[in-house]
C-alpha cells in the first residue's frame, strides 16, 4: 500500500511571490510523514518544483486529452511531465461543472496523462440534488466508467462531493467512508485501481482532517482553500 496522499489544490490562486512565501514558511515546518503533492496553476509549476523538499511532488490541475497540436489554450500532459510534474488532476468538479467538461472526455484524458508518464488523480462526486435523490453511488459509478480500459495500476481517485467543495459543508466521515468502500468494490470488480488510493476532498480543514484521515477507506485528502496557507495545510498533512 502506498503512503496516504495529502494534496494541495491551489486552484486559480497565488502568483510567484506567494509561492516563494508559501515554501519559505512550509520548508521550516517538519516534513510530514504522508506523501505531499502541490497542484499550482501551470506557469507556477517550475517555481514550485524548484522549492520542494525531497519526496514532495507537484502536479497539474488539468490536462489535454491530446498530445500536441493546434489546440490553443490547452496544456499537454507531456509538457506537465517535462516541467517536473508527477501528478495531474483529471475531472475536478470545477472542470466538469464550471467548464462543462463531459465524462466522455475523461477516459481519453486519463489515458493520455498516463501515456505521458503522469499519475492521474481522477476526481468524482455527486451534486447536492443527486445526493438528495439517493443517486450518489449511481453518479459516482457512472463517472468511474472513464477508467475502463486503463491499466490496473498507476492512478488515484478523489471522491469530492460537489456540495462540499468550497462550501464549508464537509461530508460526515461515515458517509465518505461508505462511498470510498463502494468505489473500492467497483475497482476490485473491474480489476482496476490495484494500487489506487481513494482521497476525500471537500471543505477539509485542520479541525476535521484527523477524523477524516483515520476513517476507514480514506487514503488521503485533496485540500482546496485550507491548503493555501502553509500552517493550515501542515496541520492537515500531519493530522494523523
Ligand atoms: P475545498 O476544495 O477544500 O476548498 O473545498 C477542494 C477541491 O476543490 O479540491
Amino acid at each position: 500500500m502506498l503512503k496516504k496522499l495529502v494534496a494541495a489544490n491551489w486552484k486559480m490562486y497565488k502568483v510567484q511571490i506567494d509561492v516563494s512565501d508559501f515554501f519559505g514558511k512550509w520548508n521550516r515546518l517538519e516534513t510530514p510523514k504522508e506523501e505531499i503533492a502541490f497542484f499550482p496553476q501551470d506557469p507556477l509549476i517550475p517555481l514550485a518544483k524548484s522549492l520542494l523538499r525531497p519526496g514532495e511532488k507537484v502536479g497539474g490541475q488539468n490536462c489535454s486529452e491530446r498530445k500536441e497540436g493546434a489546440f490553443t489554450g490547452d496544456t499537454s500532459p507531456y509538457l506537465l511531465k517535462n516541467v517536473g510534474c508527477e501528478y495531474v488532476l483529471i475531472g475536478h468538479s470545477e472542470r466538469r461543472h464550471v467548464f462543462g467538461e463531459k465524462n466522455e472526455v475523461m477516459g481519453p484524458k486519463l489515458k493520455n496523462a498516463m501515456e505521458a508518464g503522469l499519475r492521474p488523480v481522477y476526481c468524482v462526486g455527486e451534486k447536492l440534488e443527486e445526493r438528495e435523490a439517493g443517486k450518489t453511488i449511481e453518479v459516482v459509478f457512472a463517472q468511474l466508467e472513464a477508467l475502463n480500459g486503463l491499466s490496473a495500476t498507476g492512478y488515484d481517485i478523489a471522491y469530492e462531493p460537489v456540495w462540499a467543495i468550497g462550501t464549508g459543508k464537509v461530508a460526515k466521515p461515515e458517509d465518505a467512508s461508505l462511498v470510498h468502500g463502494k468505489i473500492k468494490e467497483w475497482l476490485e470488480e473491474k480489476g482496476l485501481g490495484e494500487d489506487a488510493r481513494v482521497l476525500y476532498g471537500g471543505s477539509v480543514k485542520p479541525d476535521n482532517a484527523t477524523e477524516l484521515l483515520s476513517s476507514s477507506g480514506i487514503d488521503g485528502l485533496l485540500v482546496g482553500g485550507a491548503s493555501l496557507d502553509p500552517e493550515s495545510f501542515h496541520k492537515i498533512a500531519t493530522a494523523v
Side-chain angles (χ1 to χ4, degrees):
M1 181 68 184
L2 297 168
K3 281 186 185 177
K4 289 188 193 254
L5 173 62
V6 182
N9 175 10
W10 284 349
K11 309 193 179 195
M12 208 172 77
Y13 294 104
K14 295 195 186 294
V15 296
Q16 292 184 95
I17 182 74
D18 305 319
V19 175
S20 304
D21 281 355
F22 181 96
F23 285 107
K25 293 180 184 138
W26 174 261
N27 291 343
R28 282 200 289 272
L29 301 168
E30 195 192 329
T31 305
K33 285 198 276 301
E34 319 298 348
E35 185 179 342
I36 303 296
F38 297 95
F39 293 81
Q41 296 176 77
D42 292 345
L44 297 172
I45 288 169
L47 174 61
K49 172 87 183 164
S50 74
L51 298 170
L52 296 177
R53 290 182 284 199
E56 295 177 343
K57 317 264 169 72
V58 73
Q61 297 177 5
N62 182 31
C63 72
S64 174
E65 67 273 33
R66 301 181 177 95
K67 184 172 183 181
E68 63 178 359
F71 303 110
T72 302
D74 232 352
T75 298
S76 169
Y78 290 81
L79 174 61
L80 293 177
K81 179 74 186 176
N82 181 249
V83 297
C85 289
E86 296 193 35
Y87 286 101
V88 63
L89 303 180
I90 307 269
H92 187 276
S93 105
E94 284 142 25
R95 299 307 314 172
R96 293 179 192 265
H97 303 301
V98 180
F99 295 97
E101 286 187 9
K102 297 271 180 282
N103 206 50
E104 296 79 79
V105 88
M106 302 307 169
K109 279 187 187 225
L110 286 160
K111 187 164 177 285
N112 196 32
M114 290 182 70
E115 281 169 6
L118 298 170
R119 185 175 176 96
V121 177
Y122 180 53
C123 307
V124 297
E126 82 287 2
K127 293 195 269 188
L128 183 60
E129 61 266 30
E130 294 165 337
R131 167 159 287 251
E132 286 173 346
K135 292 192 170 151
T136 298
I137 302 301
E138 187 187 320
V139 168
V140 167
F141 281 7
Q143 292 168 335
L144 289 176
E145 290 292 330
L147 298 168
N148 279 316
L150 296 185
S151 53
T153 59
Y155 41 90
D156 297 300
I157 312 290
Y159 169 57
E160 297 203 297
V162 178
W163 49 269
I165 297 178
T167 57
K169 287 188 199 129
V170 66
K172 289 198 203 93
E174 60 270 28
D175 290 346
S177 274
L178 192 140
V179 180
H180 283 228
K182 294 280 181 200
I183 291 174
K184 289 177 185 202
E185 277 170 32
W186 187 95
L187 293 170
E188 197 173 338
E189 220 165 84
K190 303 267 179 174
L192 291 166
E194 283 173 11
D195 66 345
R197 289 162 294 188
V198 184
L199 317 188
Y200 169 79
S203 294
V204 176
K205 305 283 179 238
D207 62 3
N208 57 30
T210 306
E211 204 186 348
L212 286 164
L213 263 184
S214 35
S215 295
S216 124
I218 302 187
D219 310 316
L221 301 170
L222 179 54
V223 190
S227 73
L228 294 168
D229 172 73
E231 273 88 25
S232 137
F233 185 56
H234 191 264
K235 284 192 187 122
I236 293 170
T238 53
V240 284

